[in-house]
Amino acid sequence: MERRKVLGLAGAGVAGAAAVGAGALALSRNDATTSVATELVSDAGGAIPFYGARQAGIITPAQDRLHFCAFDVITDDKAALVDMLQDWTAAAARMTQGRDAGTFGAVGGSLEAPPDDTGEALGLPASGLTLTIGFGPTLFRDARGKDRFGIAAKRPAALADLPKFPRDVLEDAISGGDIGVQACAHDPQVAVHAIRNLARIGMGKVSVRWSQLGFGRTSSTSTSQATPRNLFGFKDGTRNLKAEEPALLDEHLWVQPGDGPEWMTGGSYLVTRKVRMLVETWDRSPLAEQQTIIGRDKGEGAPLTGKLEHDEPDFAAQDGEGQPVIPMDSHLRLAHPDQNGGARMLRRGYNFVDGSDGLGRLNAGLFFMAYQRNPHKQFVPVQNSLAKLDALNEYIRHVSSAVFACPPGLPAADDYWGRSLFA
Amino acid sequence: MRPARLITAGAAATAAALLLTACGDKDADTQAGSAAASGKITVAASDTECKVERTSSNAGTVTFSIANKGTKINEFYVYAAGDRIMGEVENIAPGLSRDLIVELPAGTYETACKPGMIGKGIRGAFQVEGSAAPLTEDAKLAQATKDYQRYVKSQTSALIEQTTAFVTAVKAGDVAKAKSLFPIARTYWERIEPVAESFGDLDPKIDARDGDLEPGQEWTGFHKLEKDLWVTKDVSKDGPIADQLLKDVQTIVTKAETVTFSPVELANGAKGLLDEVATGKITGEEDRYSHTDLWDFAANIEGSQGAIQALRPALEERDPALVKTLDANFAKVEASLEKHRAGDGWKLHNQLTQADLKELSDTINALAEPISKVAALVAAKK
């Protein structure tokens, strides 16, 4: 049963957006780049195609809300896991189109049976829901080194565990995971509904390891979006990769033929880091200090050497006393591609506030998510230089970490999440 | 819902007799127009969609006309509960149409297109309405009720015996003995808890925890004695509480022997016992003073199994695959629990790690989800 008549794909505010069917995402660099964003944009209620060459939820213009969930596989029965992944895929295909998780729905089934959908999304539109799956290193070999499903040989080198970074204070219980599912939507109720129903379908096969709610996307992933602000009050993701830059996406985001095992070609690697922000002390620091720590001005988001947000930073510029205008330990300088061998990522993080910590402080921060072609060539070097030198470290704590291999999209309904790994 | 008869290898032929597949393939486009006119239900199948024109029909002969508008070979199925195939048509080449004629009694079904002939297909609900056959007395369900009553009786006599021993030790001030008898008496109580709960006001008198009560209500029962044995360490004034507990247990037992439970109540009881484990025993809030939660945990599982065993013959007939799933998941719960055996009994709740508790919780969830499907199965007309 449909929750509601699903709206077309016409993106509100996108002039001349043409509705496109499954698999319409251009893969070739020669295609007109301007059409990509309009193909991916949904209005606040609309549905984003589930089937396609790429998984939705990566270059899809970042939605407002996140529910991320990491699962551990608790069965050793490969057939049971594959069966569940097929059920997950079917439920995901339905829910992303604004329909119930199961075929009978929240209220369409037998009175004596528990409904096959939990019901909290009844009457809500698809809300731009995307569900994106990734597989963690421990799916290939568990913590004890066991190859539970006979897939260890398929593990890409790029999925090697992240190294320990200086200053990491990671909590094991909210780090890692065999399978990660990113649910993004414009409505938090829709995102939570999706994760809740997948968790229920998975019972006995997978178990929720940790999950994270996020709000207020901290990056734009399309030129059609303004740069949003993180909880430090600064624009975040100014130099992010954008959906409209296919050549750059092929270079930095999508796994290319020959990079590793074929099943990941066309996919991408996701790194998630939960970064607690000590907002109370940050809020007491002078504006000038905040701006020199970040390397940008707070209002416009321009580098300290420029006037506008998208001005290129001039790292050589010096002040009257011969000091660099953009300090050596500023976040902008340390994270910038020019200082990291050109490394770029598609950041897709969200703010979080998980209540308070009992000490009168908000438990708040950034749930950092970044997609990339190879974490060990992109996230790892950037994070190493940040962890060592970033002036911002006084105000942040990395409390969780995970890495997932996100395969390419499913072209048709005879394919399912993980088939290339298990079939 | 009306599950089909048990399908054996030979029965597949019977099913096949119900459907006459149109022999000649037709062109998908010319087919569509004529199908709608003839009362057939058109199905537009593609590589990513399965658009069934109507999702309900009257009982009797139903004809689906499936047009493959995709690029992959497609299949179309009609399933009853438990994925029993009521009818199927295979090998629908791209651009062609095929008909499926299938006999459907009133009930709830699923339609499925399978582009590429792989996986679970793109499913949708399909309701068949009409005069269902009158609900005949199902001998197996009637027997289930009787069998469960026998199970309850076997537990209630032991419950009286062990509760008597327990309260005697309390009244004698023999704290050590009372402590050892407490989880044993509760075992028989926890196995038949759904029965006890059906007598409203008696359950709280016997099993209320501190904090469950309204202001002014007197706290009586097992857990009051538990607190005095383990925490207050003084049962000298508990004679009246002990007498009251035995009296209340005797009342329950007398009532339990006269009451019968319907098959649906049995099924819901089996699920309810697992919910008790998930919400009260895993968390350690049931026996918060003695930490003997695992005795209750084991008893809840045994009670759930008792109800399922009584229903077993009926379930075997209606959904043998579900029975296999339940058996496997009961075994997993038992294996997880077995790790925490200590002597004749169990480890205390406060000796378990968070990882132990999570594993127990996961196995309970794995069992409770399929058990929650049993009620609808026994409620269905056969």
Side-chain angles (χ1 to χ4, degrees):
Chain A
M1 121 170 12
E2 305 239 355
R3 294 205 307 253
R4 204 192 95 156
K5 197 87 186 109
V6 178
L7 301 176
L9 264 178
V14 181
V20 290
L25 174 48
L27 282 184
S28 148
R29 294 186 191 193
N30 306 329
D31 278 299
T33 58
T34 47
S35 65
V36 177
T38 57
E39 286 170 359
L40 296 174
V41 163
S42 79
D43 59 66
I48 291 175
F50 177 73
Y51 296 104
R54 308 290 196 197
Q55 285 202 70
I58 300 176
I59 61 170
T60 305
Q63 303 94 322
D64 296 332
R65 304 289 188 146
L66 165 79
H67 191 184
F68 192 91
C69 190
F71 296 88
D72 280 338
V73 179
I74 57 172
T75 179
D76 289 339
D77 179 349
K78 183 169 161 180
L81 177 60
V82 167
D83 193 63
M84 182 212 78
L85 287 165
Q86 292 183 348
D87 285 338
W88 265 15
T89 309
R94 299 174 62 85
M95 291 191 289
T96 53
Q97 303 313 299
R99 300 167 70 189
D100 288 12
T103 52
F104 301 110
V107 293
S110 156
L111 285 173
E112 285 83 12
D116 64 18
D117 178 280
T118 53
E120 70 271 31
L122 275 176
L124 297 176
S127 308
L129 174 69
T130 54
L131 289 164
T132 314
I133 195 166
F135 302 107
T138 46
L139 186 67
F140 298 84
R141 278 197 194 281
D142 68 12
R144 289 177 303 239
K146 189 172 163 207
D147 179 10
R148 289 175 290 170
F149 306 109
I151 56 170
K154 292 190 175 181
R155 174 172 154 172
L159 192 64
D161 287 332
L162 299 179
K164 189 186 179 312
F165 298 100
R167 296 170 183 268
D168 272 359
V169 280
L170 305 181
E171 294 171 39
D172 183 59
I174 54 170
S175 294
D178 293 344
I179 302 178
V181 179
Q182 170 195 284
C184 292
H186 298 301
D187 182 339
Q189 183 113 339
V190 170
V192 168
H193 168 262
I195 292 294
R196 178 178 167 190
N197 281 272
L198 294 181
R200 182 179 172 207
I201 291 167
M203 278 182 181
K205 279 77 75 178
V206 294
S207 171
V208 173
R209 180 176 175 88
W210 55 269
S211 98
Q212 181 66 50
L213 288 175
F215 66 89
R217 62 183 173 85
T218 61
S219 282
S220 55
T221 54
S222 162
T223 51
S224 64
Q225 297 179 296
T227 311
R229 291 179 186 271
N230 62 29
L231 292 183
F232 283 146
F234 278 77
K235 289 184 181 176
D236 201 337
T238 294
R239 278 295 307 272
N240 207 16
L241 289 172
K242 301 280 199 285
E244 296 79 4
E245 305 168 321
L248 286 174
L249 297 185
D250 282 344
E251 189 184 345
H252 298 287
L253 176 68
W254 303 123
V255 176
Q256 298 299 308
D259 281 1
E262 190 51 33
W263 69 270
M264 267 301 287
T265 299
S268 191
Y269 293 91
L270 168 65
V271 171
T272 70
R273 307 276 292 183
K274 185 172 184 175
V275 185
R276 170 88 189 263
M277 290 176 165
L278 305 173
V279 294
E280 290 78 9
T281 45
W282 173 260
D283 295 341
R284 287 195 282 271
S285 54
L287 179 60
E289 186 189 332
Q290 292 184 11
Q291 295 188 147
T292 53
I293 287 173
I294 300 292
R296 292 182 179 275
D297 87 277
K298 199 167 185 176
E300 167 63 25
L304 296 178
T305 54
K307 287 215 164 21
L308 298 172
E309 184 194 347
H310 293 282
D311 288 351
E312 282 297 323
D314 177 0
F315 292 115
Q318 295 183 341
D319 62 15
E321 290 161 26
Q323 296 298 317
V325 178
I326 299 173
M328 300 307 286
D329 62 356
S330 68
H331 190 73
L332 168 63
R333 180 185 289 266
L334 292 166
H336 199 273
D338 294 355
Q339 312 293 320
N340 291 283
R344 299 183 64 180
M345 296 171 263
L346 184 124
R347 282 166 289 160
R348 219 174 181 284
Y350 286 82
N351 298 317
F352 71 85
V353 176
D354 294 349
S356 49
D357 67 357
L359 301 172
R361 307 182 302 179
L362 293 180
N363 182 356
L366 168 68
F367 187 69
F368 171 94
M369 298 196 290
Y371 287 90
Q372 58 227 284
R373 188 172 160 187
N374 185 338
H376 297 275
K377 294 180 179 165
Q378 292 160 273
F379 176 78
V380 171
V382 173
Q383 181 54 28
N384 260 325
S385 59
L386 286 173
K388 286 183 193 125
L389 301 167
D390 194 358
L392 198 56
N393 287 333
E394 191 183 332
Y395 300 97
I396 61 177
R397 301 281 180 272
H398 283 242
V399 294
S400 95
S401 176
V403 60
F404 300 101
C406 306
L410 304 177
D414 64 339
D415 208 347
Y416 55 86
W417 282 345
R419 180 156 82 112
S420 51
L421 265 186
F422 295 103
Chain B
M1 130 176 30
R2 190 181 146 127
R5 305 274 177 282
L6 185 58
I7 289 199
T8 57
T14 324
L18 290 175
L19 38 116
L20 322 158
T21 313
C23 299
D25 287 337
K26 292 185 200 153
D27 177 85
D29 289 332
T30 55
Q31 176 86 3
S34 60
S38 63
K40 292 177 181 175
I41 298 172
T42 59
V43 179
S46 72
D47 295 350
T48 57
E49 287 190 310
C50 184
K51 288 186 180 156
V52 182
E53 178 192 8
R54 280 186 289 121
T55 53
S56 64
S57 151
N58 290 328
T61 307
V62 184
T63 306
F64 295 92
S65 182
I66 305 103
N68 184 359
K69 301 179 176 181
T71 64
K72 293 168 183 276
I73 291 183
N74 220 312
E75 297 176 332
F76 182 78
Y77 290 78
V78 178
Y79 291 108
D83 275 8
R84 265 187 309 277
I85 298 170
M86 301 298 289
E88 66 183 302
V89 54
E90 296 176 351
N91 275 318
I92 313 168
L96 296 179
S97 274
R98 301 277 294 279
D99 280 9
L100 169 67
I101 302 168
V102 59
E103 197 70 36
L104 295 176
T108 316
Y109 302 91
E110 278 183 290
T111 53
C113 298
K114 279 196 194 171
M117 305 182 294
I118 287 177
K120 307 222 166 189
I122 306 163
R123 300 204 177 196
F126 194 80
Q127 306 280 355
V128 176
E129 282 131 26
S131 52
L135 183 55
T136 51
E137 178 65 18
D138 183 326
K140 287 194 172 69
L141 289 178
Q143 191 57 43
T145 300
K146 289 199 189 83
D147 288 350
Y148 186 68
Q149 212 175 354
R150 214 174 22 249
Y151 173 77
V152 170
K153 265 208 172 110
S154 73
Q155 299 306 305
T156 50
S157 51
L159 174 62
I160 294 273
E161 202 176 298
Q162 296 297 332
T163 307
T164 304
F166 170 62
V167 302
T168 306
V170 169
K171 288 174 74 174
D174 189 343
V175 171
K177 189 171 184 189
K179 278 183 168 183
S180 71
L181 287 168
F182 170 79
I184 302 199
R186 287 190 57 80
T187 294
Y188 300 100
W189 165 259
E190 289 281 357
R191 280 183 189 155
I192 56 165
E193 194 161 15
V195 180
E197 280 179 346
S198 66
F199 306 115
D201 57 340
L202 275 166
D203 181 51
K205 283 176 75 177
I206 295 169
D207 204 28
R209 290 171 306 207
D210 197 5
D212 289 347
L213 303 169
E214 294 165 31
Q217 275 188 312
E218 197 201 356
W219 186 23
T220 60
F222 276 117
H223 294 299
K224 166 74 171 117
L225 296 174
E226 179 198 7
K227 187 175 184 180
D228 289 343
L229 286 168
W230 269 274
V231 179
T232 323
K233 297 191 166 53
D234 175 14
V235 290
S236 61
K237 299 185 192 65
D238 282 342
I241 303 276
D243 288 339
Q244 185 65 47
L245 172 61
L246 185 57
K247 192 161 149 266
D248 290 338
V249 166
Q250 280 165 331
T251 310
I252 285 258
V253 166
T254 310
K255 288 190 174 199
E257 289 177 353
T258 60
V259 76
T260 56
F261 290 93
S262 74
V264 171
E265 284 172 325
L266 283 192
N268 285 325
K271 178 184 94 64
L273 280 161
L274 297 184
D275 293 345
E276 289 271 339
V277 175
T279 54
K281 278 70 176 186
I282 296 265
T283 57
E285 58 195 78
E286 180 73 45
D287 300 316
R288 63 189 67 171
Y289 313 112
S290 63
H291 307 298
T292 54
D293 303 84
L294 284 196
W295 276 262
D296 300 54
F297 184 126
N300 283 160
I301 300 297
E302 286 154 358
S304 181
Q305 227 161 353
I308 293 296
Q309 286 300 39
L311 290 167
R312 192 181 189 92
L315 297 181
E316 284 280 13
E317 189 174 61
R318 289 159 184 248
D319 193 347
L322 181 64
V323 177
K324 278 202 185 69
T325 303
L326 295 181
D327 287 348
N329 287 318
F330 266 117
K332 281 184 185 145
V333 171
E334 286 162 9
S336 285
L337 188 58
E338 203 52 43
K339 295 177 184 173
H340 309 300
R341 202 170 264 295
D344 295 342
W346 304 98
K347 278 186 202 158
L348 298 180
H349 188 275
N350 54 4
Q351 297 170 319
L352 301 177
T353 66
Q354 189 62 26
D356 293 336
L357 293 171
K358 184 161 191 287
E359 183 186 294
L360 289 169
S361 175
D362 284 340
T363 58
I364 288 293
N365 282 336
L367 174 60
E369 279 291 325
I371 269 196
S372 72
K373 297 188 166 82
V374 172
L377 204 60
V378 299
K381 298 168 182 61
K382 217 161 45 86

